[in-house]
């Protein structure tokens, strides 16, 4: 089996190089023997309002956006997914967009998708337009799902490769209210490994962690107690990717 | 004043119990909240500094990872090349320039008539095979596109005749009976007579001297035999002549 390699004839110390054909290296097709597809492969429909709507209006509690995520950080069933790189709220519109786009782009016979994010459960209030301050808390306007950075939003699996799945996952990731990126099991583990290596081979003797834990120069006056936990990698709802 | 009137004047500083928020925005905002200048300085000081090796990696020789040849197809092709070199007496390597398909077909047909096969080989397969076998000196020929003309017999003259009619195939060299020949060597090999005639000529040359010796030794007796035969014939002619005319026979017998 010939494979034509179009090399431009270049001049070198040995003389003129002539374009030549090489042997095509056939790769083994991937082994999908251990994959079991669930009954319903498409994403489940998530309700806009929970079945039992909340009567008591809840305080804002923006700390559910702040900092790294503790749940849904690793893959369970699928191989590919979308990783959130920032905090934010997902409302029903976002979830529908995700569900419909994924449902349109994936093949339900060979791939499956599962939610890693619950249906909207946190009520947000909004005061009616044009009124002055005061008069109590506004009524419940909508429900949202809080998402922290480092959380997986959905998982995709089945008889498919990352290259096939990445385009529409990227399409979805761009439309989310926080920065997100499509990942696979390999790419996620590689990301974490690179972070570890960076932490180990950092040539800067001064690290945020060191300064904060020792309270050098009284820095903790200008920092929050949360910075002990976040180590300078999170600021508000934002995740600073370039920081170590 | 009230603070200073204790036992030890102002032993340590104190943080207010309730931190008054002067600016008005919370910790988590939709916009990028402006950092305190001290915090900005801290972030700038504690940035990641990448390691810088003493020798930049592009100055070092590139470490090429050898591709593992687990390709079954490559193994099969290498085995085929080894069989070709083992089973055929004549292997000619020619440069192959692209030629029309029909000309190629005709050439292969003419060569097939003389039991010569045309084989296309890939350099990346042949080179490792040859470098480990005894045909190491053929390696410089396997550069750029080439074909092998292989045959269990050594019909160099017919091969050259066919190749002369095809300008796109140029003979580079050949290995005939484990002897590496260049192009000129192949041409002179083609001009040689065939093995049987050469053997006959050699035998003839070798047998020339003994045959001469035997003829020299036998010359005297052969000469005597010839003379006696002639004498007998003359006597016989005389007897037939005397029966026809009975007088002149005794005079002629006295002179011999």
């Amino acid at each position: 089996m010939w494979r034509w390699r179009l090399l431009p004839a270049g001049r070198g110390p040995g003389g003129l190089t002539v374009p030549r054909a090489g042997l095509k290296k056939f790769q083994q097709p991937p082994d999908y023997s251990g994959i079991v597809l669930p009954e319903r492969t498409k994403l489940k429909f998530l309700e806009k309002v929970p079945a039992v709507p909340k009567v008591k209006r809840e305080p804002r509690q923006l700390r559910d956006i702040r900092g790294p995520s503790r749940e849904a950080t690793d893959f369970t069933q699928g191989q590919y997914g979308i990783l959130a790189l920032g905090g934010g709220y997902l409302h029903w519109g976002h979830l529908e967009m995700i569900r419909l786009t994924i449902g349109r782009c994936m093949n339900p016979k060979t791939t499956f998708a599962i939610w890693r994010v619950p249906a909207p459960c946190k009520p947000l209030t909004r005061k009616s337009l044009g009124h002055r301050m005061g008069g109590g808390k506004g009524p419940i306007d909508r429900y949202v799902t809080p998402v922290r950075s480092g959380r997986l939003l959905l998982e995709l699996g089945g008889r498919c490769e990352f290259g096939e799945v990445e385009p529409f996952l990227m399409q979805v990731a761009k439309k989310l209210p926080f920065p997100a990126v499509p990942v696979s099991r390999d790419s996620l583990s590689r990301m974490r490994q690179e972070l570890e290596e960076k932490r180990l081979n950092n040539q800067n003797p001064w690290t945020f962690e060191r300064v904060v834990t020792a309270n050098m120069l009284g820095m903790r006056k200008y920092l929050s107690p949360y910075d002990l936990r976040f180590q300078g990698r999170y600021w508000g709802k934002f995740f600073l990717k370039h920081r170590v | 004043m009230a603070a200073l009137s204790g036992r030890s004047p102002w032993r340590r500083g104190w943080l207010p119990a309730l931190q008054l928020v002067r600016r008005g925005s919370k910790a988590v905002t939709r916009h990028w909240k402006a950092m305190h200048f001290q915090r900005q300085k801290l972030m700038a000081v504690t940035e990641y500094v990448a390691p810088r090796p003493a020798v930049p990696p592009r100055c070092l020789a590139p470490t090429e990872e050898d591709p593992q040849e687990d390709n079954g197809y490559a193994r099969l092709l290498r085995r085929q090349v080894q069989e070709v070199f083992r089973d055929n007496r004549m292997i000619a390597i020619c440069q192959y320039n692209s030629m029309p398909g029909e000309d190629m077909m005709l050439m292969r047909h003419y060569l097939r008539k003389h039991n010569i096969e045309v084989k296309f080989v890939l350099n990346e397969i042949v080179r490792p095979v040859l470098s480990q076998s005894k045909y190491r000196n053929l390696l410089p020929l396997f550069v750029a596109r080439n074909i092998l003309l292989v045959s269990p017999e050594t019909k160099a003259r017919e091969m050259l005749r066919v190749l002369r009619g095809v300008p796109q195939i140029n003979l580079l060299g050949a290995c005939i009976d484990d002897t590496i020949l260049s192009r000129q060597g192949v041409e002179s090999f083609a001009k040689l007579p065939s093995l049987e005639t050469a053997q006959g000529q050699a035998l003839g040359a070798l047998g020339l001297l003994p045959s001469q010796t035997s003829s020299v030794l036998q010359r005297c007796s052969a000469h005597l035999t010839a003379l006696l035969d002639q004498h007998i014939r003359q006597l016989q002619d005389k007897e037939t002549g005397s029966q026809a005319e009975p007088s002149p026979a005794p005079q002629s017998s006295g002179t011999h």
Side-chain angles (χ1 to χ4, degrees):
Chain A
M1 189 59 197
W2 299 95
R3 181 171 54 90
W4 291 97
R5 212 182 304 164
L6 281 171
L7 297 168
R11 278 232 166 249
L16 197 71
T17 52
V18 186
R20 58 183 175 87
L23 188 69
K24 185 170 170 86
K25 291 185 177 62
F26 293 102
Q27 280 170 352
Q28 293 279 354
D31 185 27
Y32 293 133
S33 50
I35 292 181
V36 174
L37 294 174
E39 287 171 7
R40 287 179 197 262
T41 51
K42 287 199 177 176
L43 287 167
K44 200 172 57 165
F45 174 75
L46 295 174
E47 295 285 334
K48 202 174 196 174
V49 168
V52 181
K54 299 205 175 147
V55 175
K56 181 127 181 28
R57 284 160 293 186
E58 286 175 0
R60 207 148 307 198
Q61 282 180 352
L62 289 171
R63 56 181 177 269
D64 52 15
I65 307 296
R66 199 178 185 193
S69 172
R70 290 214 193 158
E71 50 176 355
T73 44
D74 283 311
F75 284 93
T76 51
Q77 291 175 46
Q79 284 121 49
Y80 319 109
I82 300 181
L83 186 78
L85 293 175
Y89 287 134
L90 284 178
H91 58 76
W92 186 73
H94 295 126
L95 299 171
E96 276 297 284
M97 179 272 294
I98 296 174
R99 187 180 71 89
L100 293 173
T101 314
I102 302 284
R104 201 173 41 238
C105 301
M106 74 179 218
N107 184 358
K109 294 197 185 122
T110 51
T111 51
F112 66 92
I114 44 173
W115 286 112
R116 288 310 296 280
V117 111
C121 50
K122 176 172 176 170
L124 286 189
T125 59
R126 175 167 264 139
K127 288 188 85 63
S128 26
L129 196 60
H131 287 257
R132 296 199 174 189
M133 291 283 108
K137 194 164 162 81
I140 292 175
D141 180 44
R142 60 201 178 135
Y143 286 81
V144 292
T145 325
V147 168
R148 281 191 160 114
S149 32
R151 190 197 176 122
L152 285 170
L153 300 171
L154 58 87
E155 275 184 39
L156 213 74
R159 295 184 215 113
C160 54
E161 296 283 309
F162 192 42
E164 296 172 43
V165 154
E166 205 186 347
F168 60 83
L169 285 183
M170 195 57 176
Q171 197 186 351
V172 162
K174 283 188 183 166
K175 289 194 192 172
L176 295 171
F178 41 79
V181 79
V183 291
S184 66
R185 284 187 194 240
D186 293 332
S187 77
L188 188 64
S189 59
R190 218 178 315 131
M191 246 193 277
R192 289 187 182 153
Q193 225 172 354
E194 275 166 12
L195 182 68
E196 269 311 305
E197 278 170 19
K198 268 181 108 175
R199 199 176 288 154
L200 288 171
N201 65 21
N202 189 5
Q203 300 299 304
N204 194 351
W206 309 111
T207 53
F208 195 97
E209 185 185 343
R210 197 177 153 198
V211 171
V212 166
T213 45
N215 191 14
M216 292 182 180
L217 295 178
M219 269 295 135
R220 282 188 65 181
K221 185 173 172 203
Y222 310 104
L223 304 173
S224 152
Y226 286 92
D227 286 312
L228 271 170
R229 232 190 295 158
F230 300 155
Q231 302 298 337
R233 300 190 73 218
Y234 299 89
W235 178 240
K237 65 172 186 172
F238 303 102
F239 170 58
L240 311 170
K241 222 163 53 142
H242 56 276
R243 300 268 321 164
V244 152
Chain B
M1 278 304 155
L4 293 171
S5 62
R7 243 173 294 153
S8 54
W10 205 334
R11 241 184 310 166
R12 52 171 185 243
W14 55 276
L15 280 170
L18 194 72
Q19 283 191 346
L20 299 166
V21 179
R22 305 264 333 234
R23 298 292 171 84
S25 67
K26 300 194 160 84
V28 180
T29 49
R30 287 179 206 205
H31 62 271
W32 175 269
K33 188 165 150 197
M35 288 185 186
H36 195 282
F37 190 57
Q38 291 283 12
R39 198 199 159 104
Q40 281 181 40
K41 285 199 277 190
L42 175 63
M43 300 292 265
V45 161
T46 54
E47 263 170 15
Y48 171 70
V49 171
R52 239 183 126 195
V55 179
R58 65 188 172 143
C59 296
L60 299 166
T63 52
E64 281 180 30
E65 289 165 22
D66 295 315
Q68 278 146 22
E69 285 283 359
D70 287 327
N71 200 353
Y73 188 52
R75 257 184 281 138
L76 172 75
L77 290 176
R78 262 181 268 139
R79 206 171 353 125
Q80 280 183 348
V81 168
Q82 277 168 348
E83 281 167 11
V84 156
F85 272 94
R86 200 180 50 214
D87 298 337
N88 295 297
R89 280 175 64 193
M90 176 174 83
I91 303 146
I93 301 136
C94 308
Q95 186 208 12
Y96 171 75
N97 296 306
S98 60
M99 54 197 271
E102 50 215 28
D103 289 356
M104 186 68 189
M105 218 166 61
L106 277 172
M107 187 195 82
R108 287 181 97 141
H109 171 66
Y110 289 135
L111 287 171
R112 206 75 190 79
K113 276 193 178 171
H114 301 299
N115 200 12
I116 300 175
E117 258 191 43
V118 174
K119 288 213 184 289
F120 285 87
V121 286
L122 278 173
N123 292 341
E124 63 185 75
I125 305 277
V126 177
R127 291 190 81 100
V129 171
L130 288 188
S131 54
Q132 272 135 34
S133 72
K134 57 184 177 176
Y135 303 102
R136 228 159 279 131
N137 292 317
L138 283 173
L139 274 176
L141 295 178
F142 285 97
V143 172
R145 297 205 70 193
N146 43 35
I147 54 173
L148 291 183
L149 307 179
V150 300
S151 164
E153 307 137 22
T154 54
K155 288 190 179 167
R157 205 180 307 133
E158 286 84 2
M159 184 181 77
L160 283 176
R161 204 181 305 140
V162 173
L163 291 181
R164 215 174 294 138
V166 181
Q168 289 101 343
I169 308 268
N170 305 311
L171 182 67
L172 300 174
C175 177
I176 300 177
D177 283 334
D178 289 347
T179 322
I180 293 176
L181 300 168
S182 68
R183 197 207 167 88
Q184 290 82 24
V186 173
E187 280 164 11
S188 50
F189 177 81
K191 283 188 196 120
L192 288 174
S194 73
L195 195 63
E196 288 76 23
T197 36
Q199 279 171 348
Q201 280 178 0
L203 280 172
L206 283 172
L208 186 65
L209 277 176
S211 67
Q212 277 184 347
T213 323
S214 67
S215 67
V216 159
L217 288 170
Q218 288 169 2
R219 202 185 5 191
C220 298
S221 49
H223 188 56
L224 181 63
T225 326
L227 286 173
L228 287 174
D229 281 336
Q230 205 183 3
H231 179 65
I232 294 167
R233 235 182 288 125
Q234 280 184 348
L235 286 175
Q236 282 174 350
D237 293 338
K238 263 191 205 155
E239 277 177 19
T240 50
S242 66
Q243 280 173 5
E245 300 168 6
S247 52
Q251 293 170 11
S252 59
S253 67
T255 51
H256 297 287

